């Protein structure tokens, strides 16, 4: 009896994301001790809101990385989402229609990346790098570099509901859906199989091309959605929205245990990864440490997290 | 007694959670072939990998030429004069054959690679092994499995090692290549090279070995010198039980004459690899495919399964013409393929044994839209049990299983699917002799239940024993079809060459 109990405690500490979760807890504890304001409900909500933009996209980014790919275009899709929706609405398109259009266009463009990756057999790094340039050019064309005002009922996406920002709800809902899809559906298993060994996956009757295309399309949609939310929050669509986010998204996934060679990772890990990035940003502000140290720390955290994961991986037998 | 080149003393090795080698003591002598026999997962590959410097975290000592040594990497082991042919192919896919052979020890002119010498040396080595059909410039990726294995062997031979370790070198070779290899091994033995030989093909072991050590559950349980060799004893020590005799005729009540045709292939062609191939198979029939390496048997099966497209020809299943464009569609039509190349085309190394077994069957493992944790576990557990897959848990990554156990898991994947037509390309590749019997039994009972089986095997005994008819192929063409009573090693070889 005591034996089985012991085992279950060990099991709890042994789940894949335990390492990063412990890192996150320690990080919170250290910052909280140095500045107790950190643990204020308001501050925690603030952190969550700050990383919700990355968190939403990172769900897609996680899928992409698990299939063995990478997506560098998410930042410009986010900018496209923000500017595109503001532009459409300023042209008189009803907000809800504009939202659907923007998400659909982003999805189509993401699908194009996917199709090129599978049909021309180009490296996803190159294809999404190209797509990143194309989308940021398009965004610039739409706005001429000038922010476009955004005032309509979709602004609620950037507001609060029962004192909690709507973007947090959106992130949590998308995380939960992503988690269920990835871990509990046949499609999710196919995503892992494709990343683990595409040839075996194909011989096991999986439509590898379809799976790969789908993840790029999904990520583009999520990136655009994240852009819309940011736009709603700022009351304007700005070209600079989302710039540099692609690397934050990849960092969140890597910290959270997604293997860049594919086949491994989880949405829970991605969430923790995004949270670590958010906590570091917030903590450095609270502790009044210069921003340059913040980026240095993020760099170190990425390496530490991946090293820890690697060691755990080598040790683990299951 | 010949002098000892490597003496292994009190060697033990654990992976987290499992002890793989336990206090091994063994000597390897110059000019002798020392075979190591053992079940799948007994620890043979691990043992050789330790000597080769792949793992350093072991306890015990290695005395290499009398001096205590601990190789820090394969490079150090090679420098000391050790070469190894790995169980799984370790070639670099996008380099040429000659580059792969000489990688790490290129012939040089100053700082530059001596291209001419490189090619000459490669050609010489290929000739020595009697290999035709592999040009030194060929990119490894374009070779067949057996050809890759030959290149792997040549690569090890090119090192002129003092100790040569071969981990299942013949697993995908046919008779002819195997005989060449045996000749080479005899020559090397004459020259005083020490050879460690691991194979699940015991006839080979008895032919070539000077001594046999039997490894079971990580312990050396028996050592035999040539004059003490005894088949039954070796098998008994390997698997811990006696092998039951195969009783084919006993329970066979299939009536092939009257069972319907399930598969018919008419004039199938693919570029110049497959030429005008026609055959048919009945319900419950085991149709064997014989031929040499490069005869196009695997290519034919992959074309049938939709992995490669065929350029012309017709395929009928249950009398209905089907055009199979992808494996997905093939599976829908009731086909299953256990491919030859386990590492590239079979396993998904970073996923668990459970996921690897279930990957084609998730449809049956759902509750509503979601996968049922309980059903998928039960499904994997069932096959791990019935095929005796040796793993500490079904959640273990399949890449950490021994080669033979990986093969069993891939078999389980396709048996689980309960196909109408089961294509087996070297199904017992790397599987130990006890487990082979289990698999033969399983193949037979599937045939009894009405599954049509297309079987490729480079092991003549296996092919003859299991097949109802054998189709012999040569250079992409069907050369003949032999009935049960016409089948023999000679009749098959006659058509194959
Ligand atoms: N990297 C690893 N991590 C954990 N366990 C491992 C690892 N490599 C091997 N093992 C375990 O060690 C045991 C011995 O494996 P090994 O590959 O040496 O067997 P083998 O005798 O070569 O079998 P086979 O005949 O199937 O090739 C197996 O039970 C296997 O699961
Ligand atoms: Mg082995």
């Amino acid at each position: 009896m005591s034996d089985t109990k012991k085992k279950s405690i060990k099991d709890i500490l042994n789940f894949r994301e335990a390492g990063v979760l412990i890192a996150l807890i320690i990080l919170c504890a250290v910052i909280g001790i140095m500045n107790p304001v950190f643990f204020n409900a308001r501050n925690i909500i603030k952190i969550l809101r700050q990383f919700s933009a990355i968190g939403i996209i990172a769900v897609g980014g996680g899928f992409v990385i698990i299939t063995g790919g990478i997506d560098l275009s998410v930042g410009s899709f986010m900018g496209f989402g923000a500017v595109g929706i503001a532009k459409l609405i300023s042209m008189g398109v009803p907000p809800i229609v504009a939202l659907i259009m923007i998400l659909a266009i982003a999805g189509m463009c993401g699908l194009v990346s996917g199709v090129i990756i599978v049909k021309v057999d180009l490296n996803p790094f190159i294809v999404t790098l190209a797509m990143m340039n194309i989308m940021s050019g398009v965004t610039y064309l739409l706005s001429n570099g000038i922010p476009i005002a955004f005032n309509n009922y979709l602004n609620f996406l950037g507001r609060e509901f029962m004192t909690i920002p709507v973007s947090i709800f959106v992130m949590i809902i998308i995380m939960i859906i992503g988690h269920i899809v990835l871990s509990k559906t046949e499609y999710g298993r196919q995503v892992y199989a494709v990343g683990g060994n595409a040839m075996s996956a194909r011989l096991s009757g999986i439509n590898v091309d379809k799976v790969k295309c789908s993840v790029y399309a999904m990520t583009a949609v999520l990136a655009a959605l994240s852009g819309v939310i940011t736009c709603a929050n700022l009351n304007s669509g700005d070209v600079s929205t989302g710039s540099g986010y692609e690397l934050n998204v990849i960092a969140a996934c890597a910290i959270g245990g997604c293997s860049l060679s594919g086949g491994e990772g989880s949405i829970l890990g991605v969430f923790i990864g995004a949270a670590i990035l958010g906590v570091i940003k917030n903590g450095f502000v609270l502790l009044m440490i210069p921003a340059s140290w913040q980026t240095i720390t993020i760099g170190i955290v990425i390496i530490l997290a991946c090293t820890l994961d690697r060691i755990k991986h080598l040790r683990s037998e299951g | 007694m010949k002098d000892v080149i490597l003496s292994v003393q009190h060697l033990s090795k654990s992976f987290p959670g499992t002890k793989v080698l336990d206090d091994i003591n063994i000597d390897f002598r110059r000019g002798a072939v020392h075979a190591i026999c053992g079940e799948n997962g007994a620890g043979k590959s691990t043992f050789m990998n330790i000597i080769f410097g792949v793992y350093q975290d072991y306890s015990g000592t290695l005395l290499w030429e009398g001096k205590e040594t601990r190789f820090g990497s394969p490079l150090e082991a090679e420098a000391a004069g050790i070469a190894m042919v790995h169980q799984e192919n370790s070639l670099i896919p996008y380099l040429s054959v000659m580059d792969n052979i000489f990688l790490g020890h290129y012939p040089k002119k100053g700082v530059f690679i001596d291209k001419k010498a490189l090619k000459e040396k490669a050609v010489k080595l290929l000739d020595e092994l009697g290999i035709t059909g592999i040009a030194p410039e060929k990119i490894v990726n374009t070779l067949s499995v057996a050809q890759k294995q030959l290149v792997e062997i040549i690569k090890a031979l090119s090192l002129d090692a003092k100790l040569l370790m071969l981990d299942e070198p013949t697993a995908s070779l046919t008779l002819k290549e195997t005989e060449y290899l045996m000749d080479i091994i005899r020559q090397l033995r004459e020259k005083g090279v020490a050879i460690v030989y691991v194979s699940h093909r015991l006839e080979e072991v008895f032919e070539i070995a000077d001594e046999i050590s039997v490894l079971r559950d990580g312990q050396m349980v028996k050592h035999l010198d040539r004059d003490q060799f005894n088949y039954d004893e070796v098998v008994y020590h390997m698997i811990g039980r006696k092998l039951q005799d195969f009783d084919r005729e006993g329970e066979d009540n299939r009536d092939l004459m009257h069972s319907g045709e399930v598969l018919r292939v008419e004039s199938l062609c693919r570029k110049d690899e497959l030429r005008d191939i026609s055959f048919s198979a009945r319900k419950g029939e085991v149709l064997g495919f014989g031929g040499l390496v490069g005869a196009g048997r695997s290519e034919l099966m992959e074309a049938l399964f939709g992995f490669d497209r065929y350029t012309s020809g017709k395929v009928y299943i249950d009398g209905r013409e089907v055009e199979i464009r992808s494996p997905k569609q093939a599976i829908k039509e009731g086909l299953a393929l256990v491919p030859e190349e386990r590492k590239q085309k079979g396993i998904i190394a970073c996923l668990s044994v459970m996921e690897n077994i279930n990957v084609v069957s998730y449809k049956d493992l759902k509750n509503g839209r979601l996968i049922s944790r309980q059903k998928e576990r039960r499904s994997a557990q069932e096959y791990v049990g019935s095929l005796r897959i040796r793993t500490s848990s079904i959640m273990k990554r399949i890449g950490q299983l021994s080669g033979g156990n990986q093969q069993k898991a891939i078999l389980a994947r396709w048996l689980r699917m309960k196909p109408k037509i089961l294509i087996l390309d070297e199904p017992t590749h790397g599987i130990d002799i006890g487990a082979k019997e289990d698999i033969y039994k399983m193949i037979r009972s599937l045939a009894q239940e009405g599954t049509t089986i297309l079987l490729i095997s480079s092991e003549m005994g296996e092919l003859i024993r299991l097949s109802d008819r054998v189709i012999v192929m040569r250079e992409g063409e069907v050369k003949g079809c032999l009935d049960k009573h016409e089948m023999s090693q000679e009749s098959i070889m006659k058509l194959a060459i």
Side-chain angles (χ1 to χ4, degrees), chain A residues 314 316-317, chain B residues 14-16 18-21 38-49 55 87-88 167-168 198 200 215 342 390-392 396 399-406 430-432:
Chain A
L314 289 177
S316 83
E317 52 149 346
Chain B
S14 300
F15 286 112
T18 31
K19 186 151 201 174
V20 179
L21 295 173
E39 272 187 300
N40 293 133
K44 305 175 298 292
S45 299
T46 308
F47 174 71
M48 290 195 277
N49 278 324
Y55 303 121
Q87 185 173 14
E88 307 287 348
D167 194 356
E168 308 225 14
V198 167
H200 287 298
L215 191 62
R342 166 168 74 224
R390 193 194 288 218
T391 174
S392 50
K396 189 163 176 163
Q400 294 178 342
L401 262 54
S402 80
N405 285 302
Q406 292 179 6
I431 285 185
D432 72 50

